[in-house]
Amino acid sequence: MSNSISILGLGLMGQALAGSLLDAGHQVTVWNRSAGKGDDLVARGATRAATVAEAVAASPLVIVCVLDYAAVRALLTDVPLTGRVLVNLTNGRPSEARETAELVAGRGGDYLDGGIMAVPQMIGHPGALILYSGSQTAFDGHRDTLATMAEPRFVGADPGLAPLLDLAMLTGMYGQIAGVLEAVALVASEKVPVAEFTSTLLVPWLNAMASTMPQLAEEIAAGDYSTDVSNLEINRVGVANLVLAFEEQGVKPDLLLPMKAIIDQRVARGHGAEGLQSLIEELR
Ligand SMILES: NC(=O)c1ccc[n+]([C@@H]2O[C@H](COP(=O)([O-])OP(=O)(O)OC[C@H]3O[C@@H](n4cnc5c(N)ncnc54)[C@H](OP(=O)(O)O)[C@@H]3O)[C@@H](O)[C@H]2O)c1
């Protein structure tokens, strides 16, 4: 079934979103702040709107994907949203999502916030995921259209939930990248081929460790800080040794130092017999 969708913002992501909707046969109206973007979308059948108001008027479903929420709010100033579902796929914070939901409701619109767990090249292909939160009615009503861009997953009525989970997933990713960068730097200090080390040793190890994370999360949820794997005192000695090895190899251990500091702090408070999951207490 062909539906009408308007896309505000034709950056790399906005263009990918619009392209996937066009490919699926939908009627797509596009708007971008500056000229010169979206010509290929228009050539593929999209309609170009001259103003935000014109784009919003063109479709019941309006997707916005721009730099930040300040830009989203500025775009929507004085634009009537009655009868419109606004899906905001701009990256932001939970507090910003809640504020924007109120702004949209105040203009008579229905709001969905979204967190895109994909790069533009993945949009419209299996493996792309978008988290949504906010109006369940809006999600249910447009689920099939949203599924064109990426697997749509509704995570709750609080609009702040999708950005919260999005940021949490990015946090896990940055932690992993930090570990990989340090590991590769250490290996490269002895001129070991880093690509081979990464594919044959590091990634299988990270995958094995990743498979233990749900258990760690269950223990945190249960407040169970016991361990039969390795306690914090053993980890304190291990990480101190690791940092010394970096120094001896002439490599900066900077991305590891916060982890060392928090382990040291927890042990100094008398919790050396607990497992790594108890470090969560130092973060709360
Ligand atoms: N790219 C990714 O891999 C990826 C993945 C997940 C989520 N996201 C999120 O998607 C959003 C867009 O990212 P992108 O990759 O498309 O960025 P981008 O290629 O840099 O495009 C930014 C877009 O925002 C518009 N914009 C910036 N400031 C604006 C303003 N004040 N008013 C109106 N429009 C404004 C730009 O318009 P002009 O063309 O006029 O400059 C452009 O359309 C971001 O929130 C980003 O975090 C991106």
Side-chain angles (χ1 to χ4, degrees), residues 13-281:
M13 188 52 86
Q15 290 190 42
L17 298 169
S20 69
L21 291 163
L22 279 173
D23 287 346
H26 295 300
Q27 296 157 43
V28 178
T29 299
V30 294
W31 174 89
N32 193 60
R33 176 181 61 174
S34 49
K37 284 186 186 167
D39 290 350
D40 58 326
L41 294 169
V42 171
R44 287 160 66 190
T47 303
R48 193 188 296 279
T51 62
V52 172
E54 194 180 306
V56 169
S59 316
L61 181 61
V62 178
I63 296 172
V64 55
C65 187
V66 292
L67 177 68
D68 58 19
Y69 278 57
V72 173
R73 284 190 292 270
L75 285 187
L76 298 178
T77 305
D78 298 332
V79 175
L81 295 172
T82 307
R84 295 290 173 268
V85 168
L86 188 93
V87 179
N88 182 14
L89 298 184
T90 304
N91 195 278
R93 304 189 302 279
S95 61
E96 294 179 300
R98 291 174 190 132
E99 279 169 29
T100 311
E102 277 182 25
L103 183 152
V104 171
R107 301 266 173 74
D110 225 357
Y111 184 75
L112 274 175
D113 207 280
I116 304 175
M117 309 315 300
V119 295
Q121 291 71 13
M122 292 167 68
I123 296 299
H125 300 286
L129 170 71
I130 301 183
L131 306 173
Y132 293 96
S133 56
S135 165
Q136 173 102 52
T137 316
F139 180 79
D140 292 343
H142 294 283
R143 193 186 188 292
D144 291 348
T145 307
L146 299 175
T148 303
M149 302 182 291
E151 179 197 331
R153 198 171 305 177
F154 187 75
V155 294
D158 173 356
L161 282 175
L164 182 82
L165 299 182
D166 179 345
L167 296 180
M169 288 170 77
L170 291 177
T171 300
M173 179 195 78
Y174 282 118
Q176 189 179 51
I177 289 174
V180 168
L181 288 172
E182 287 287 15
V184 166
L186 188 65
V187 161
S189 72
E190 290 294 348
K191 303 203 173 16
V192 176
V194 295
E196 188 183 336
F197 159 73
T198 303
S199 58
T200 63
L201 292 172
L202 184 57
V203 169
W205 168 245
L206 288 178
N207 284 335
M209 291 309 295
S211 71
T212 69
M213 293 301 125
Q215 188 190 336
L216 182 134
E218 276 171 30
E219 289 164 353
I220 289 171
D224 175 5
Y225 297 149
S226 64
T227 180
D228 57 4
V229 180
S230 70
N231 66 30
L232 284 176
E233 175 55 16
I234 289 289
N235 279 282
R236 185 190 67 76
V237 174
V239 174
N241 185 50
L242 220 155
V243 168
L244 278 178
F246 269 78
E247 283 163 5
E248 285 174 7
Q249 295 295 123
V251 181
K252 288 184 186 168
D254 296 19
L255 299 175
L256 290 169
L257 295 181
M259 193 69 183
K260 179 179 185 309
I262 201 168
I263 293 172
D264 290 349
Q265 181 177 305
R266 188 78 183 150
V267 172
R269 286 191 212 272
H271 297 278
E274 295 176 350
L276 279 166
Q277 72 275 25
S278 83
L279 294 177
I280 193 98
E281 291 294 335

